Amino acid sequence: MRRRPLLVAFVLLAVLDVVAVTAGWPALEWLTKPLLAPVLAVHLWRRTGTRHRPVLAGLVLATAGDVALLLPGDAAFACGLAFFLGAQLCWTAAFLAAGALRYLRTRRPLCAVHLVVWAAAVAALVPALGPALGVAAAVYALALLTMALTARVRGSGAAWGGVVFVASDLLVGLGAADHDFLGRGALVMVTYTAALALLVTAFTGGATRTLRPGSA
C-alpha cells in the first residue's frame, strides 16, 4: 500500500491537539486545530481532484468553525455553529449525490431512530442553552443527524464517521450547557478527528464501498 504522508501528518496533528487540550496549552491548540481539516482537504484533492467539491467545501467551513470555537464567548460559539452547519449541509449534499435518498427509502425505521435521537438531544440540551442558542443548536443537530444518516450510503466507514461526529458534537453540547466533566475536551477532539478522517476516507477510494439499495 502506498504511503499517505498527509494522513500521517493529520494523525500527528490530531495527537498534538489532544495533548494541547489535555494539558491546557492554548498556543499549541492554535497551531494544530486549524490545520486538521485543511490537511484532509489537500489529501482528498490530491487523490480525487475536484470530483467531490461539496466535501472540500465542507472541510473549508469546518476549518472556519474550528477557528471560531477556539475563541471565547457566545458569539464565537454561535459563529462556529453556523460554520459547522454549512459543513454538515455540504457533506449531506455529497451523500445525496451518491444516492442516499434511494438507499434510505427502504430503511425508514433507521430514519425514525435518528429522529428520536434528535428529539431526545433537543429536549435534554436546548433548555439549558437559552431560547436563541437553543433553537440554533436544534437546527444544527437536525442537520448533523441528517448527515450521519445519509453517510451510510458510502459504506461502513462513512456510517461510523457520522455516528462518531454525532458523539463528538453531543460532547460539545454538554459543555455549552455547563455539563462538564474531566476529559471532555480531549474526548471531543478524539471523536472529532476520527469522524473527519472516516468521512474523508469514504471519498478517497479506501476500504469503504458505496452501498446500494438492498445491500447489507
mmCIF file of all heavy atoms in Angstrom, residues 25-71:
data_model
loop_
_atom_site.group_PDB
_atom_site.id
_atom_site.type_symbol
_atom_site.label_atom_id
_atom_site.label_comp_id
_atom_site.label_asym_id
_atom_site.label_seq_id
_atom_site.Cartn_x
_atom_site.Cartn_y
_atom_site.Cartn_z
ATOM 1 N N TRP A 25 -2.724 23.829 26.896
ATOM 2 C CA TRP A 25 -1.742 24.637 26.165
ATOM 3 C C TRP A 25 -2.417 25.290 24.963
ATOM 4 O O TRP A 25 -2.406 24.744 23.851
ATOM 5 C CB TRP A 25 -0.575 23.774 25.690
ATOM 6 C CG TRP A 25 0.225 23.184 26.814
ATOM 7 C CD1 TRP A 25 0.307 23.626 28.098
ATOM 8 C CD2 TRP A 25 1.074 22.023 26.731
ATOM 9 N NE1 TRP A 25 1.138 22.836 28.840
ATOM 10 C CE2 TRP A 25 1.631 21.844 28.027
ATOM 11 C CE3 TRP A 25 1.412 21.139 25.712
ATOM 12 C CZ2 TRP A 25 2.510 20.802 28.313
ATOM 13 C CZ3 TRP A 25 2.292 20.100 25.990
ATOM 14 C CH2 TRP A 25 2.837 19.931 27.269
ATOM 15 N N PRO A 26 -3.014 26.461 25.137
ATOM 16 C CA PRO A 26 -3.758 27.087 24.032
ATOM 17 C C PRO A 26 -2.897 27.417 22.822
ATOM 18 O O PRO A 26 -3.379 27.365 21.681
ATOM 19 C CB PRO A 26 -4.338 28.351 24.663
ATOM 20 C CG PRO A 26 -3.539 28.586 25.906
ATOM 21 C CD PRO A 26 -3.091 27.249 26.382
ATOM 22 N N ALA A 27 -1.641 27.769 23.036
ATOM 23 C CA ALA A 27 -0.777 28.101 21.893
ATOM 24 C C ALA A 27 -0.615 26.898 20.969
ATOM 25 O O ALA A 27 -0.698 27.024 19.736
ATOM 26 C CB ALA A 27 0.587 28.581 22.394
ATOM 27 N N LEU A 28 -0.396 25.722 21.556
ATOM 28 C CA LEU A 28 -0.259 24.515 20.736
ATOM 29 C C LEU A 28 -1.588 24.168 20.063
ATOM 30 O O LEU A 28 -1.603 23.713 18.912
ATOM 31 C CB LEU A 28 0.214 23.340 21.601
ATOM 32 C CG LEU A 28 0.412 22.008 20.876
ATOM 33 C CD1 LEU A 28 1.436 22.143 19.743
ATOM 34 C CD2 LEU A 28 0.846 20.920 21.863
ATOM 35 N N GLU A 29 -2.693 24.412 20.759
ATOM 36 C CA GLU A 29 -4.003 24.144 20.156
ATOM 37 C C GLU A 29 -4.232 25.047 18.948
ATOM 38 O O GLU A 29 -4.769 24.613 17.923
ATOM 39 C CB GLU A 29 -5.099 24.329 21.196
ATOM 40 C CG GLU A 29 -6.426 23.740 20.774
ATOM 41 C CD GLU A 29 -7.486 23.823 21.858
ATOM 42 O OE1 GLU A 29 -7.197 24.348 22.950
ATOM 43 O OE2 GLU A 29 -8.615 23.369 21.592
ATOM 44 N N TRP A 30 -3.830 26.320 19.059
ATOM 45 C CA TRP A 30 -3.962 27.236 17.921
ATOM 46 C C TRP A 30 -3.077 26.820 16.751
ATOM 47 O O TRP A 30 -3.396 27.082 15.589
ATOM 48 C CB TRP A 30 -3.615 28.657 18.357
ATOM 49 C CG TRP A 30 -4.783 29.429 18.895
ATOM 50 C CD1 TRP A 30 -5.114 29.629 20.197
ATOM 51 C CD2 TRP A 30 -5.784 30.096 18.131
ATOM 52 N NE1 TRP A 30 -6.260 30.380 20.305
ATOM 53 C CE2 TRP A 30 -6.697 30.686 19.048
ATOM 54 C CE3 TRP A 30 -6.011 30.265 16.761
ATOM 55 C CZ2 TRP A 30 -7.797 31.418 18.630
ATOM 56 C CZ3 TRP A 30 -7.102 30.995 16.339
ATOM 57 C CH2 TRP A 30 -7.990 31.570 17.270
ATOM 58 N N LEU A 31 -1.970 26.158 17.040
ATOM 59 C CA LEU A 31 -1.067 25.725 15.982
ATOM 60 C C LEU A 31 -1.552 24.460 15.278
ATOM 61 O O LEU A 31 -1.184 24.213 14.124
ATOM 62 C CB LEU A 31 0.339 25.464 16.560
ATOM 63 C CG LEU A 31 1.177 26.695 16.917
ATOM 64 C CD1 LEU A 31 2.444 26.272 17.646
ATOM 65 C CD2 LEU A 31 1.532 27.488 15.659
ATOM 66 N N THR A 32 -2.361 23.669 15.964
ATOM 67 C CA THR A 32 -2.733 22.362 15.419
ATOM 68 C C THR A 32 -4.171 22.297 14.914
ATOM 69 O O THR A 32 -4.414 21.821 13.792
ATOM 70 C CB THR A 32 -2.524 21.267 16.475
ATOM 71 O OG1 THR A 32 -3.234 21.615 17.686
ATOM 72 C CG2 THR A 32 -1.043 21.105 16.791
ATOM 73 N N LYS A 33 -5.129 22.754 15.691
ATOM 74 C CA LYS A 33 -6.534 22.554 15.333
ATOM 75 C C LYS A 33 -6.918 23.175 13.989
ATOM 76 O O LYS A 33 -7.620 22.532 13.189
ATOM 77 C CB LYS A 33 -7.436 23.082 16.451
ATOM 78 C CG LYS A 33 -8.904 22.710 16.262
ATOM 79 C CD LYS A 33 -9.747 23.181 17.448
ATOM 80 C CE LYS A 33 -11.202 22.756 17.275
ATOM 81 N NZ LYS A 33 -12.050 23.212 18.398
ATOM 82 N N PRO A 34 -6.489 24.415 13.686
ATOM 83 C CA PRO A 34 -6.872 24.999 12.390
ATOM 84 C C PRO A 34 -6.288 24.277 11.172
ATOM 85 O O PRO A 34 -6.705 24.549 10.045
ATOM 86 C CB PRO A 34 -6.322 26.437 12.483
ATOM 87 C CG PRO A 34 -6.188 26.719 13.943
ATOM 88 C CD PRO A 34 -5.787 25.398 14.527
ATOM 89 N N LEU A 35 -5.324 23.376 11.380
ATOM 90 C CA LEU A 35 -4.703 22.668 10.255
ATOM 91 C C LEU A 35 -5.342 21.309 9.976
ATOM 92 O O LEU A 35 -5.072 20.699 8.937
ATOM 93 C CB LEU A 35 -3.206 22.465 10.525
ATOM 94 C CG LEU A 35 -2.347 23.732 10.565
ATOM 95 C CD1 LEU A 35 -0.913 23.371 10.940
ATOM 96 C CD2 LEU A 35 -2.377 24.450 9.224
ATOM 97 N N LEU A 36 -6.189 20.822 10.886
ATOM 98 C CA LEU A 36 -6.719 19.469 10.762
ATOM 99 C C LEU A 36 -7.524 19.277 9.476
ATOM 100 O O LEU A 36 -7.213 18.406 8.652
ATOM 101 C CB LEU A 36 -7.587 19.142 11.981
ATOM 102 C CG LEU A 36 -6.838 18.982 13.302
ATOM 103 C CD1 LEU A 36 -7.820 18.987 14.474
ATOM 104 C CD2 LEU A 36 -6.013 17.699 13.297
ATOM 105 N N ALA A 37 -8.571 20.067 9.310
ATOM 106 C CA ALA A 37 -9.420 19.928 8.120
ATOM 107 C C ALA A 37 -8.680 20.292 6.832
ATOM 108 O O ALA A 37 -8.858 19.610 5.805
ATOM 109 C CB ALA A 37 -10.693 20.764 8.277
ATOM 110 N N PRO A 38 -7.831 21.340 6.808
ATOM 111 C CA PRO A 38 -7.094 21.640 5.573
ATOM 112 C C PRO A 38 -6.188 20.500 5.112
ATOM 113 O O PRO A 38 -6.078 20.252 3.906
ATOM 114 C CB PRO A 38 -6.275 22.883 5.946
ATOM 115 C CG PRO A 38 -7.082 23.559 6.994
ATOM 116 C CD PRO A 38 -7.678 22.439 7.792
ATOM 117 N N VAL A 39 -5.538 19.817 6.041
ATOM 118 C CA VAL A 39 -4.679 18.698 5.649
ATOM 119 C C VAL A 39 -5.506 17.599 4.984
ATOM 120 O O VAL A 39 -5.110 17.029 3.952
ATOM 121 C CB VAL A 39 -3.914 18.147 6.875
ATOM 122 C CG1 VAL A 39 -3.277 16.796 6.556
ATOM 123 C CG2 VAL A 39 -2.837 19.132 7.314
ATOM 124 N N LEU A 40 -6.674 17.311 5.546
ATOM 125 C CA LEU A 40 -7.552 16.319 4.927
ATOM 126 C C LEU A 40 -8.078 16.800 3.579
ATOM 127 O O LEU A 40 -8.247 16.002 2.648
ATOM 128 C CB LEU A 40 -8.722 15.991 5.860
ATOM 129 C CG LEU A 40 -8.404 15.108 7.060
ATOM 130 C CD1 LEU A 40 -9.662 14.871 7.876
ATOM 131 C CD2 LEU A 40 -7.798 13.772 6.626
ATOM 132 N N ALA A 41 -8.341 18.097 3.466
ATOM 133 C CA ALA A 41 -8.819 18.644 2.189
ATOM 134 C C ALA A 41 -7.761 18.476 1.099
ATOM 135 O O ALA A 41 -8.079 18.101 -0.042
ATOM 136 C CB ALA A 41 -9.191 20.117 2.355
ATOM 137 N N VAL A 42 -6.511 18.760 1.431
ATOM 138 C CA VAL A 42 -5.433 18.592 0.454
ATOM 139 C C VAL A 42 -5.276 17.121 0.097
ATOM 140 O O VAL A 42 -5.073 16.767 -1.069
ATOM 141 C CB VAL A 42 -4.109 19.172 0.996
ATOM 142 C CG1 VAL A 42 -2.963 18.869 0.042
ATOM 143 C CG2 VAL A 42 -4.243 20.677 1.197
ATOM 144 N N HIS A 43 -5.385 16.256 1.090
ATOM 145 C CA HIS A 43 -5.322 14.812 0.831
ATOM 146 C C HIS A 43 -6.426 14.382 -0.136
ATOM 147 O O HIS A 43 -6.173 13.657 -1.102
ATOM 148 C CB HIS A 43 -5.451 14.050 2.154
ATOM 149 C CG HIS A 43 -5.644 12.571 2.000
ATOM 150 N ND1 HIS A 43 -4.638 11.735 1.541
ATOM 151 C CD2 HIS A 43 -6.738 11.779 2.222
ATOM 152 C CE1 HIS A 43 -5.099 10.490 1.500
ATOM 153 N NE2 HIS A 43 -6.366 10.493 1.901
ATOM 154 N N LEU A 44 -7.644 14.832 0.117
ATOM 155 C CA LEU A 44 -8.764 14.488 -0.756
ATOM 156 C C LEU A 44 -8.567 15.040 -2.156
ATOM 157 O O LEU A 44 -8.805 14.347 -3.156
ATOM 158 C CB LEU A 44 -10.067 15.032 -0.154
ATOM 159 C CG LEU A 44 -11.349 14.800 -0.965
ATOM 160 C CD1 LEU A 44 -11.639 13.313 -1.105
ATOM 161 C CD2 LEU A 44 -12.528 15.515 -0.305
ATOM 162 N N TRP A 45 -8.109 16.278 -2.247
ATOM 163 C CA TRP A 45 -7.888 16.916 -3.552
ATOM 164 C C TRP A 45 -6.796 16.192 -4.335
ATOM 165 O O TRP A 45 -6.927 15.964 -5.552
ATOM 166 C CB TRP A 45 -7.506 18.380 -3.350
ATOM 167 C CG TRP A 45 -7.125 19.053 -4.621
ATOM 168 C CD1 TRP A 45 -7.943 19.484 -5.607
ATOM 169 C CD2 TRP A 45 -5.785 19.370 -5.039
ATOM 170 N NE1 TRP A 45 -7.216 20.054 -6.631
ATOM 171 C CE2 TRP A 45 -5.887 19.993 -6.303
ATOM 172 C CE3 TRP A 45 -4.527 19.188 -4.464
ATOM 173 C CZ2 TRP A 45 -4.757 20.421 -6.998
ATOM 174 C CZ3 TRP A 45 -3.403 19.620 -5.161
ATOM 175 C CH2 TRP A 45 -3.538 20.231 -6.411
ATOM 176 N N ARG A 46 -5.726 15.784 -3.664
ATOM 177 C CA ARG A 46 -4.642 15.084 -4.355
ATOM 178 C C ARG A 46 -5.080 13.719 -4.864
ATOM 179 O O ARG A 46 -4.591 13.250 -5.892
ATOM 180 C CB ARG A 46 -3.438 14.920 -3.407
ATOM 181 C CG ARG A 46 -2.694 16.220 -3.150
ATOM 182 C CD ARG A 46 -1.464 15.998 -2.309
ATOM 183 N NE ARG A 46 -0.474 15.168 -3.002
ATOM 184 C CZ ARG A 46 0.705 14.821 -2.482
ATOM 185 N NH1 ARG A 46 1.030 15.228 -1.266
ATOM 186 N NH2 ARG A 46 1.533 14.068 -3.166
ATOM 187 N N ARG A 47 -6.014 13.078 -4.174
ATOM 188 C CA ARG A 47 -6.448 11.737 -4.574
ATOM 189 C C ARG A 47 -7.604 11.751 -5.559
ATOM 190 O O ARG A 47 -7.740 10.830 -6.356
ATOM 191 C CB ARG A 47 -6.847 10.930 -3.331
ATOM 192 C CG ARG A 47 -5.701 10.757 -2.391
ATOM 193 C CD ARG A 47 -5.566 9.495 -1.633
ATOM 194 N NE ARG A 47 -6.363 8.384 -1.975
ATOM 195 C CZ ARG A 47 -5.872 7.212 -2.357
ATOM 196 N NH1 ARG A 47 -4.568 7.080 -2.554
ATOM 197 N NH2 ARG A 47 -6.658 6.194 -2.545
ATOM 198 N N THR A 48 -8.454 12.800 -5.494
ATOM 199 C CA THR A 48 -9.653 12.782 -6.341
ATOM 200 C C THR A 48 -9.849 14.055 -7.144
ATOM 201 O O THR A 48 -10.840 14.181 -7.866
ATOM 202 C CB THR A 48 -10.916 12.559 -5.476
ATOM 203 O OG1 THR A 48 -11.111 13.697 -4.624
ATOM 204 C CG2 THR A 48 -10.788 11.310 -4.617
ATOM 205 N N GLY A 49 -8.972 15.023 -7.026
ATOM 206 C CA GLY A 49 -9.153 16.288 -7.732
ATOM 207 C C GLY A 49 -10.347 17.051 -7.175
ATOM 208 O O GLY A 49 -10.542 17.112 -5.963
ATOM 209 N N THR A 50 -11.130 17.606 -8.066
ATOM 210 C CA THR A 50 -12.304 18.384 -7.637
ATOM 211 C C THR A 50 -13.595 17.593 -7.798
ATOM 212 O O THR A 50 -14.682 18.170 -7.858
ATOM 213 C CB THR A 50 -12.399 19.695 -8.438
ATOM 214 O OG1 THR A 50 -12.481 19.390 -9.832
ATOM 215 C CG2 THR A 50 -11.193 20.575 -8.169
ATOM 216 N N ARG A 51 -13.483 16.275 -7.854
ATOM 217 C CA ARG A 51 -14.659 15.440 -8.068
ATOM 218 C C ARG A 51 -15.653 15.531 -6.910
ATOM 219 O O ARG A 51 -16.846 15.364 -7.096
ATOM 220 C CB ARG A 51 -14.231 13.985 -8.285
ATOM 221 C CG ARG A 51 -15.342 13.099 -8.821
ATOM 222 C CD ARG A 51 -14.809 11.834 -9.450
ATOM 223 N NE ARG A 51 -14.300 10.884 -8.470
ATOM 224 C CZ ARG A 51 -13.032 10.480 -8.389
ATOM 225 N NH1 ARG A 51 -12.141 10.973 -9.222
ATOM 226 N NH2 ARG A 51 -12.650 9.602 -7.499
ATOM 227 N N HIS A 52 -15.140 15.804 -5.719
ATOM 228 C CA HIS A 52 -16.003 15.865 -4.541
ATOM 229 C C HIS A 52 -15.995 17.280 -3.957
ATOM 230 O O HIS A 52 -15.608 17.504 -2.815
ATOM 231 C CB HIS A 52 -15.547 14.852 -3.493
ATOM 232 C CG HIS A 52 -15.555 13.438 -3.988
ATOM 233 N ND1 HIS A 52 -16.706 12.807 -4.429
ATOM 234 C CD2 HIS A 52 -14.547 12.529 -4.123
ATOM 235 C CE1 HIS A 52 -16.411 11.573 -4.804
ATOM 236 N NE2 HIS A 52 -15.121 11.380 -4.645
ATOM 237 N N ARG A 53 -16.452 18.231 -4.756
ATOM 238 C CA ARG A 53 -16.433 19.632 -4.334
ATOM 239 C C ARG A 53 -17.208 19.883 -3.029
ATOM 240 O O ARG A 53 -16.753 20.653 -2.185
ATOM 241 C CB ARG A 53 -16.996 20.521 -5.450
ATOM 242 C CG ARG A 53 -16.077 20.674 -6.650
ATOM 243 C CD ARG A 53 -16.617 21.703 -7.631
ATOM 244 N NE ARG A 53 -15.801 21.790 -8.830
ATOM 245 C CZ ARG A 53 -15.988 21.084 -9.931
ATOM 246 N NH1 ARG A 53 -16.978 20.197 -9.970
ATOM 247 N NH2 ARG A 53 -15.194 21.217 -10.968
ATOM 248 N N PRO A 54 -18.405 19.290 -2.838
ATOM 249 C CA PRO A 54 -19.117 19.541 -1.573
ATOM 250 C C PRO A 54 -18.333 19.089 -0.343
ATOM 251 O O PRO A 54 -18.400 19.729 0.707
ATOM 252 C CB PRO A 54 -20.414 18.739 -1.729
ATOM 253 C CG PRO A 54 -20.613 18.609 -3.198
ATOM 254 C CD PRO A 54 -19.238 18.483 -3.771
ATOM 255 N N VAL A 55 -17.588 17.991 -0.475
ATOM 256 C CA VAL A 55 -16.785 17.526 0.658
ATOM 257 C C VAL A 55 -15.670 18.525 0.948
ATOM 258 O O VAL A 55 -15.398 18.869 2.110
ATOM 259 C CB VAL A 55 -16.204 16.133 0.379
ATOM 260 C CG1 VAL A 55 -15.448 15.618 1.607
ATOM 261 C CG2 VAL A 55 -17.304 15.154 0.002
ATOM 262 N N LEU A 56 -15.022 18.997 -0.114
ATOM 263 C CA LEU A 56 -13.970 20.008 0.051
ATOM 264 C C LEU A 56 -14.526 21.286 0.666
ATOM 265 O O LEU A 56 -13.920 21.875 1.572
ATOM 266 C CB LEU A 56 -13.319 20.308 -1.300
ATOM 267 C CG LEU A 56 -12.489 19.180 -1.924
ATOM 268 C CD1 LEU A 56 -12.128 19.521 -3.361
ATOM 269 C CD2 LEU A 56 -11.232 18.924 -1.099
ATOM 270 N N ALA A 57 -15.695 21.718 0.190
ATOM 271 C CA ALA A 57 -16.315 22.923 0.747
ATOM 272 C C ALA A 57 -16.637 22.726 2.222
ATOM 273 O O ALA A 57 -16.453 23.643 3.046
ATOM 274 C CB ALA A 57 -17.586 23.267 -0.034
ATOM 275 N N GLY A 58 -17.105 21.538 2.578
ATOM 276 C CA GLY A 58 -17.398 21.251 3.976
ATOM 277 C C GLY A 58 -16.152 21.328 4.844
ATOM 278 O O GLY A 58 -16.208 21.809 5.985
ATOM 279 N N LEU A 59 -15.028 20.876 4.322
ATOM 280 C CA LEU A 59 -13.777 20.943 5.086
ATOM 281 C C LEU A 59 -13.305 22.387 5.264
ATOM 282 O O LEU A 59 -12.755 22.742 6.312
ATOM 283 C CB LEU A 59 -12.702 20.108 4.396
ATOM 284 C CG LEU A 59 -12.932 18.586 4.449
ATOM 285 C CD1 LEU A 59 -11.973 17.865 3.510
ATOM 286 C CD2 LEU A 59 -12.782 18.062 5.860
ATOM 287 N N VAL A 60 -13.538 23.218 4.259
ATOM 288 C CA VAL A 60 -13.202 24.647 4.398
ATOM 289 C C VAL A 60 -14.050 25.272 5.498
ATOM 290 O O VAL A 60 -13.548 26.015 6.360
ATOM 291 C CB VAL A 60 -13.419 25.386 3.060
ATOM 292 C CG1 VAL A 60 -13.290 26.901 3.258
ATOM 293 C CG2 VAL A 60 -12.410 24.911 2.016
ATOM 294 N N LEU A 61 -15.348 24.973 5.491
ATOM 295 C CA LEU A 61 -16.234 25.509 6.528
ATOM 296 C C LEU A 61 -15.888 24.951 7.904
ATOM 297 O O LEU A 61 -15.985 25.662 8.914
ATOM 298 C CB LEU A 61 -17.686 25.189 6.177
ATOM 299 C CG LEU A 61 -18.260 25.971 4.992
ATOM 300 C CD1 LEU A 61 -19.569 25.352 4.516
ATOM 301 C CD2 LEU A 61 -18.469 27.439 5.374
ATOM 302 N N ALA A 62 -15.484 23.694 7.966
ATOM 303 C CA ALA A 62 -15.069 23.107 9.241
ATOM 304 C C ALA A 62 -13.835 23.818 9.793
ATOM 305 O O ALA A 62 -13.712 24.015 11.006
ATOM 306 C CB ALA A 62 -14.794 21.616 9.071
ATOM 307 N N THR A 63 -12.930 24.208 8.901
ATOM 308 C CA THR A 63 -11.752 24.965 9.336
ATOM 309 C C THR A 63 -12.159 26.280 9.977
ATOM 310 O O THR A 63 -11.663 26.648 11.055
ATOM 311 C CB THR A 63 -10.825 25.247 8.141
ATOM 312 O OG1 THR A 63 -10.444 24.013 7.538
ATOM 313 C CG2 THR A 63 -9.583 26.001 8.583
ATOM 314 N N ALA A 64 -13.083 26.991 9.326
ATOM 315 C CA ALA A 64 -13.573 28.254 9.891
ATOM 316 C C ALA A 64 -14.266 28.010 11.230
ATOM 317 O O ALA A 64 -14.107 28.790 12.181
ATOM 318 C CB ALA A 64 -14.536 28.922 8.906
ATOM 319 N N GLY A 65 -15.023 26.910 11.316
ATOM 320 C CA GLY A 65 -15.681 26.581 12.569
ATOM 321 C C GLY A 65 -14.694 26.264 13.672
ATOM 322 O O GLY A 65 -14.882 26.669 14.829
ATOM 323 N N ASP A 66 -13.639 25.548 13.346
ATOM 324 C CA ASP A 66 -12.614 25.221 14.336
ATOM 325 C C ASP A 66 -11.973 26.484 14.899
ATOM 326 O O ASP A 66 -11.742 26.602 16.108
ATOM 327 C CB ASP A 66 -11.535 24.334 13.707
ATOM 328 C CG ASP A 66 -11.978 22.881 13.572
ATOM 329 O OD1 ASP A 66 -12.908 22.476 14.306
ATOM 330 O OD2 ASP A 66 -11.398 22.157 12.744
ATOM 331 N N VAL A 67 -11.674 27.431 14.025
ATOM 332 C CA VAL A 67 -11.069 28.690 14.481
ATOM 333 C C VAL A 67 -12.047 29.453 15.369
ATOM 334 O O VAL A 67 -11.674 29.966 16.434
ATOM 335 C CB VAL A 67 -10.640 29.550 13.280
ATOM 336 C CG1 VAL A 67 -10.183 30.932 13.744
ATOM 337 C CG2 VAL A 67 -9.528 28.862 12.495
ATOM 338 N N ALA A 68 -13.303 29.532 14.946
ATOM 339 C CA ALA A 68 -14.298 30.263 15.739
ATOM 340 C C ALA A 68 -14.449 29.647 17.123
ATOM 341 O O ALA A 68 -14.569 30.376 18.130
ATOM 342 C CB ALA A 68 -15.643 30.262 15.012
ATOM 343 N N LEU A 69 -14.424 28.318 17.211
ATOM 344 C CA LEU A 69 -14.628 27.659 18.502
ATOM 345 C C LEU A 69 -13.401 27.740 19.407
ATOM 346 O O LEU A 69 -13.492 27.406 20.591
ATOM 347 C CB LEU A 69 -15.026 26.197 18.281
ATOM 348 C CG LEU A 69 -16.408 25.997 17.655
ATOM 349 C CD1 LEU A 69 -16.684 24.517 17.424
ATOM 350 C CD2 LEU A 69 -17.504 26.612 18.526
ATOM 351 N N LEU A 70 -12.282 28.194 18.874
ATOM 352 C CA LEU A 70 -11.122 28.450 19.723
ATOM 353 C C LEU A 70 -11.256 29.772 20.472
ATOM 354 O O LEU A 70 -10.549 30.003 21.457
ATOM 355 C CB LEU A 70 -9.841 28.474 18.879
ATOM 356 C CG LEU A 70 -9.303 27.110 18.426
ATOM 357 C CD1 LEU A 70 -8.161 27.299 17.437
ATOM 358 C CD2 LEU A 70 -8.847 26.278 19.620
ATOM 359 N N LEU A 71 -12.165 30.621 19.997
ATOM 360 C CA LEU A 71 -12.367 31.932 20.622
ATOM 361 C C LEU A 71 -13.394 31.832 21.745
ATOM 362 O O LEU A 71 -14.310 31.013 21.692
ATOM 363 C CB LEU A 71 -12.846 32.945 19.574
ATOM 364 C CG LEU A 71 -11.882 33.183 18.413
ATOM 365 C CD1 LEU A 71 -12.562 34.003 17.321
ATOM 366 C CD2 LEU A 71 -10.623 33.889 18.903
#
